[in-house]
Amino acid sequence: MTVSPARRAAYEVVRRVFEDGAYADRVLRSASTGLDERERAFARQLAYGTVQRMRTLDHAIGTLGRRPVRKLDPPVLAALRLGAYQLGYLDVAPHAAANESVELVRSARLERAVPFTNAVMRRLAEGIEALLAGLPEGPLKHSYPDWIYDVWVRDFCEADALALMRAQNEPPETVVRLVRGDVDGEPTDVPGAYRVTRVDDAALAAGRIWPQSRGSQLAALAVGSREGERILDSCAAPGGKATMLQGDVTAVEINVARARELEENTRRLGATNVHVVRADATDLPRELDGFDRALVDAPCSGLGVLASRPDLRWRATPLPELQLALLRAAAERVRPGGTIVYSVCTPNADENERVVDGSALEVDSTLAEEWPQFRHPRRPEFLLTLPHVHRTSGFFIARLRV
C-alpha cells in the first residue's frame, strides 16, 4: 500500500517539528510542494491538527497503547500521533488512518515496529472516541501546557481560559489587508481588513493584499501616524505593520534574514516611505532620534496566535524583561510629547499591563475611546482583542505619551 501525498507531507511536518524543533509552517511549505490545492489543504489540516493536539494524542497513545510514549522511536510516535488525530478528530475511514500509519513506519525502515504500530492503531480505533469524551475540561483535554491554562485562569477566569483554549484549537478566520485595488471579501470592523475564503496568491504576489489578522492591523492603526511625521518601528519584520504606517518610517530589525525579508516585503507592497535599518532595538544607533511616534510590537510568548501557529504552544516563552527594555529604548528616541504604541500578540498580564506599568510612561486613554469594542476587560485604558470574543488573534495594545 502506498501512502497518500497529503499524509506523507503531514508526517514530514510532525517529525521535523518534534524531532528537529522546526517551525510547522515553514516545513509545510516545502513538504507540500507539488500537491494540488485539495491535497495541500488536507496536509495542512493533518499536520497542524496533530501538532496542536500533541498532548491529548500522547495521552491516548500511552493509555491505549500500554507503553509510555517516551519509550517509542520518534518516527513511530509521529505515525501514531498522525493516525490518532485522524481517528479522534477527523471523519476519516479508520482502516485508512491505520494502514497509512503502518506504511509510514515501514517507510521509515522500522519494519520491526510495524506489528506494534498496527496493534496500537487497532486499540486507538476501538477506544479513542470514548477516551476523549471522558477527559475532564482543562489543558489535557484541549492540549495545552498547564502553565498557559494557569495564566489565563489567573488573568481572566476558568470559563474564559477554557473558551480561549477552545477558540485557538479552531482554524482562524482568513483576513487580508487591502493595499491597493479591490478584493473579493467581506469588510470587517477594522478599516482596510477584509475577511476572505482564501488568500489570492496572484494578488499577494503583486502586492495588492497582505495576509494580516484584524488584531494585527489594529495595532498599526493605533499608532495614528500621519504624513510629515517621523515614525520608528523598532521590531518591524516581516513588515505587515510597518507598511501600514504613514510618514517617514524607520523599520528596525536585528536579524539579517528577517531584515532582508522585511526589505523584500516593503518593495512588494510599494511602501517607499519605509527605510529598513538592521540594528538592535534595545541599543539603537545614535542617529535614530527625535521621532514623533514609535511602534514597539515586541517579541512575546505569542499566546494570542496559537490558532495559526500550532507548534508555538510547545515552545512559547514570556519575555517581559526584553519587552520592557525595548519599550524604554524606544521612549528615549521619541521627542517629548510624542507617542509610543506598545503591542504584543499575547493575552498575558505579565507581558501586557505589567510591562506598561513598569515603564512609568503616561497612558493615552483616548485609544480605548477610539476603539471601544476592543476595550480591555480589566484595564479599560488599553485594548485587548481576544480570540474567543472578537474571533481574531489576541493582541494587547497600549498608547503611551513620552
Side-chain angles (χ1 to χ4, degrees):
M1 178 182 176
T2 58
V3 178
S4 70
R7 285 187 174 91
R8 189 171 295 282
Y11 183 60
E12 183 178 341
V13 174
V14 174
R15 287 198 61 183
R16 290 283 311 283
V17 166
F18 292 116
E19 294 176 39
D20 304 330
Y23 293 99
D25 58 338
R26 296 178 189 175
V27 181
L28 181 65
R29 273 199 296 273
S30 59
S32 60
T33 301
L35 301 186
D36 63 32
E37 190 173 333
R38 184 184 59 82
E39 289 174 326
R40 192 179 301 114
F42 186 45
R44 186 180 193 277
Q45 181 184 33
L46 284 179
Y48 280 25
T50 300
V51 172
Q52 198 175 63
R53 299 279 185 174
M54 179 268 288
R55 182 179 180 183
T56 316
L57 298 174
D58 283 5
H59 175 72
I61 293 165
T63 301
L64 298 173
R66 302 167 199 162
R67 186 179 297 181
V69 293
R70 68 179 183 277
K71 293 187 176 181
L72 302 180
D73 289 327
V76 175
L77 180 56
L80 288 173
R81 284 170 169 166
L82 206 57
Y85 175 71
Q86 294 171 76
L87 294 172
Y89 297 98
L90 299 183
D91 184 19
V92 300
H95 69 274
N99 291 344
E100 294 208 20
S101 289
V102 168
E103 289 305 314
L104 287 169
V105 169
R106 185 171 278 127
S107 72
R109 300 181 180 179
L110 289 169
E111 190 70 35
R112 59 182 169 73
V114 164
F116 170 77
T117 305
N118 204 19
V120 175
M121 286 303 300
R122 280 201 309 271
R123 291 179 200 142
L124 286 166
E126 293 166 1
I128 194 169
E129 191 174 319
L131 183 146
L132 295 178
L135 290 175
E137 285 289 340
L140 174 57
K141 181 181 182 70
H142 298 293
S143 192
Y144 284 77
D146 287 344
W147 77 266
I148 295 179
Y149 172 70
D150 292 341
V151 162
W152 286 340
V153 170
R154 178 201 70 190
D155 290 351
F156 305 102
C157 66
E158 185 175 15
D160 279 332
L162 293 171
L164 269 165
M165 289 195 295
R166 290 190 201 100
Q168 296 203 88
N169 279 343
E170 297 300 322
E173 65 176 3
T174 304
V175 170
V176 298
R177 170 168 61 89
L178 180 60
V179 179
R180 56 182 173 272
D182 52 23
V183 62
D184 183 13
E186 171 194 358
T188 68
D189 55 354
V190 174
Y194 290 81
R195 195 174 290 110
V196 296
T197 53
R198 54 178 287 276
V199 175
D200 183 335
D201 290 337
L204 176 61
R208 298 195 305 272
I209 61 171
W210 184 256
Q212 191 172 0
S213 75
R214 288 155 51 227
S216 174
Q217 294 188 49
L218 180 65
L221 291 172
V223 176
S225 56
R226 304 185 187 98
E227 293 298 336
E229 294 181 329
R230 294 181 63 236
I231 314 296
L232 171 67
D233 184 349
S234 62
C235 305
K241 299 179 189 68
T243 54
M244 290 180 67
L245 302 175
Q246 297 183 48
D248 180 10
V249 179
T250 298
V252 175
E253 173 55 46
I254 189 171
N255 181 273
V256 175
R258 284 171 60 81
R260 190 178 304 118
E261 179 189 16
L262 174 59
E263 289 177 334
E264 291 170 357
N265 290 336
T266 58
R267 280 196 296 270
R268 180 194 298 181
L269 297 174
T272 56
N273 64 315
V274 178
H275 312 285
V276 177
V277 174
R278 192 170 72 80
D280 180 349
T282 64
D283 186 21
L284 291 165
R286 188 174 302 167
E287 64 271 17
L288 298 185
D289 201 5
F291 291 96
D292 298 293
R293 302 174 192 265
L295 170 61
V296 180
D297 183 50
C300 67
S301 58
L303 303 188
V305 294
L306 299 181
S308 57
R309 294 186 55 190
D311 48 289
L312 184 57
R313 68 186 66 190
W314 310 122
R315 65 170 102 234
T317 304
L319 299 168
E321 294 84 5
L322 174 60
Q323 292 150 3
L324 184 56
L326 288 164
L327 187 51
R328 286 174 170 164
E332 292 176 357
R333 303 309 177 95
V334 173
R335 63 169 177 79
T339 59
I340 299 176
V341 164
Y342 169 71
S343 67
V344 280
C345 57
T346 186
N348 177 358
D350 295 334
E351 301 176 271
N352 296 173
E353 54 264 38
R354 290 191 187 119
V355 170
V356 172
D357 292 344
S359 74
L361 292 168
E362 180 187 353
V363 176
D364 178 358
S365 58
T366 62
L367 177 62
E369 296 170 12
E370 295 168 17
W371 302 94
Q373 70 271 42
F374 301 118
R375 202 184 293 266
H376 194 298
R378 287 189 324 278
R379 297 284 298 271
E381 65 271 36
F382 304 133
L383 304 184
L384 184 66
T385 60
L386 290 165
H388 67 300
V389 176
H390 304 105
R391 306 300 168 190
T392 186
S393 52
F395 264 82
F396 171 86
I397 306 168
R399 191 157 66 203
L400 312 167
R401 292 194 187 93
V402 176

